[in-house]
Every structure is written in C-alpha cells, then in structure tokens.
Amino acid sequence: MPPSFEARVNQTLSAVNKLLKLLPITAISTEHVKFDTQKLQNPELSGIEYQKGTLFGYEVKEYLLEKWGHKCAYCGRKDVPLEIEHIIPRCRGGSDRISNLTLACHECNQRKGSMTATEFGYPHIQEQAKQSLREVAFINTTRWHLYERLKATGLPVECGTGALTKMNRVTRGLPKEHYFDACCVGPSTPVKVVVTQHYVQVWRAIVKY
Ligand SMILES: [Zn+2]
C-alpha cells in the first residue's frame, strides 16, 4: 500500500482507539463505498427491482449519480430532481440493465419519450453508457485493510454502502446532515433513530503529502 494510504488507515485507527478509551463502544459501523458495484453488475439482480424505495433502487441511483456526474445526461442541469431514464426505451427492446440507464430531468425524460438517445440527438450518451464505472483498485484495498484492522479491536464491525446510509436516513425522515448520516450507517441502523444529544463532535483526518 502507498505510504499515504497507510497513513490514512493509521489516522482512522488512532481516532477509533481514542474513542474506545472515552466511550462504552460495543460495535463499529463503517460506510465502505458509495454503492455496491458487485451487486449492480449481477444480471440476476437487474430488472424492475431498481424501483424507488428499495435498497437496490438506492444503489442504482447512487451509481448513476456518480457515473453521470450528478446532472441530467441531456441538458446538463444539476439543480433539478433527476429521474432514472432508459437510454434505449423498454418499448424499443431496451433492457433494465444498469448499462442502459442514465439520469434525466423530468422535462428531457418527457421530450425523449420513446426515442433512443441517438435519435434524440445524443449518440455519445449511448456510447458512454457502455463504459462501466470502476472504482480505483487501491482505494478498495485501503478499505479492506482498514476493515481488517478495525476487526482486530475485537469489536463486531459491519460495512454499509453510502446508498444504504441514504436509504436509512430518508426512510427515517431525518435531515441531510453528516451527523444523521453517521447515525444511519450500516444494516444495524434501528428503525427509529432517537436523538437525545445535541452535542456533536466531528473528527477530520488531514493527510499532508
Ligand atoms: Zn434535462
């Protein structure tokens, strides 16, 4: 592992060890990645399951936001709600596979209708869609290295995706704050999150190169 990544893992570990001395911590929940790429590439899981509200739906949406740069693939608008859009429409034989999906604003989605992206005047969208988004390998290595080191504390450690955090936060009706995101990391998030403390401590790791 590059020394800078080793330093990052060590910084996180030293923060965890400090907290363990101060607080009665019984388990660790970590957010590992933004979305589960393996789950998304599994063709068995493709299909109508990407619909709103399901965990798979959140994984798909987070993946598409990252892949298409958080904007409408057609007009490029950023500050509008984005809908999942079929590049080749289903009625034209297009599939529900992630490689056939993009994000569009409501207006573009409506205007495109039953046209393919190419017919709509955006052939490059159809090309770009074929390329899958790959996360950088050494970042993943760092994550698993950190996971192993956290497990060495002897506490149970769970991993969640950013998509799961978002779904947990939204379904519990909590505001978009880093603090509430932290409360919603991992599958063990309680159905009802009760906040009794108003004092929040935020620790930031700063790596100097
Ligand atoms: Zn648009």
Side-chain angles (χ1 to χ4, degrees):
M1 218 172 26
S4 58
F5 287 91
E6 184 71 51
R8 223 174 272 192
V9 169
N10 286 336
Q11 266 182 326
T12 307
L13 254 300
S14 87
V16 168
N17 287 326
K18 274 178 204 163
L19 286 169
L20 287 173
K21 280 180 201 145
L22 297 167
L23 301 162
I25 290 165
T26 54
I28 299 171
S29 302
T30 68
E31 190 184 291
H32 236 213
V33 288
K34 285 180 183 167
F35 36 77
D36 186 339
T37 36
Q38 263 176 325
K39 195 186 265 181
L40 295 172
Q41 297 311 324
N42 183 350
E44 282 169 44
L45 283 166
S46 304
I48 53 163
E49 282 182 275
Y50 68 79
Q51 280 162 351
K52 253 177 149 179
T54 64
L55 176 58
F56 190 67
Y58 277 87
E59 298 281 352
V60 168
K61 190 80 184 273
E62 289 306 297
Y63 177 91
L64 293 174
L65 284 167
E66 183 83 1
K67 183 174 178 179
W68 298 97
H70 293 257
K71 58 180 193 264
C72 173
Y74 302 107
C75 71
R77 278 205 290 171
K78 277 193 163 192
D79 51 351
V80 287
L82 296 169
E83 300 172 353
I84 293 175
E85 200 271 330
H86 287 74
I87 293 163
I88 300 172
R90 267 183 292 189
C91 62
R92 303 281 301 279
S95 76
D96 284 330
R97 296 286 299 270
I98 194 106
S99 56
N100 188 42
L101 302 176
T102 187
L103 293 171
C105 71
H106 184 70
E107 211 173 288
C108 287
N109 201 354
Q110 291 296 306
R111 280 200 301 128
K112 183 171 168 288
S114 59
M115 281 185 270
T116 66
T118 303
E119 290 166 353
F120 192 46
Y122 296 84
H124 65 281
I125 296 293
Q126 226 147 314
E127 278 308 306
Q128 199 181 331
K130 289 178 196 157
Q131 292 151 23
S132 64
L133 182 66
R134 290 193 192 284
E135 289 192 87
V136 187
F138 61 78
I139 302 270
N140 279 338
T141 310
T142 310
R143 284 172 178 142
W144 288 112
H145 186 66
L146 175 62
Y147 174 70
E148 292 303 326
R149 298 268 305 269
L150 288 172
K151 275 209 306 193
T153 61
L155 292 171
V157 182
E158 66 171 1
C159 295
T161 60
L164 174 65
T165 302
K166 196 169 176 181
M167 185 186 82
N168 285 343
R169 180 174 52 73
V170 172
T171 54
R172 284 152 184 82
L174 297 167
K176 195 177 189 290
E177 298 274 353
H178 286 312
Y179 170 66
F180 288 112
D181 271 335
C183 293
C184 293
V185 169
S188 71
T189 304
V191 176
K192 198 166 182 230
V193 178
V194 182
V195 181
T196 53
Q197 297 286 324
H198 294 282
Y199 172 69
V200 179
Q201 205 176 78
V202 178
W203 295 22
R204 243 181 220 107
I206 296 160
V207 179
K208 285 185 182 151
Y209 293 98

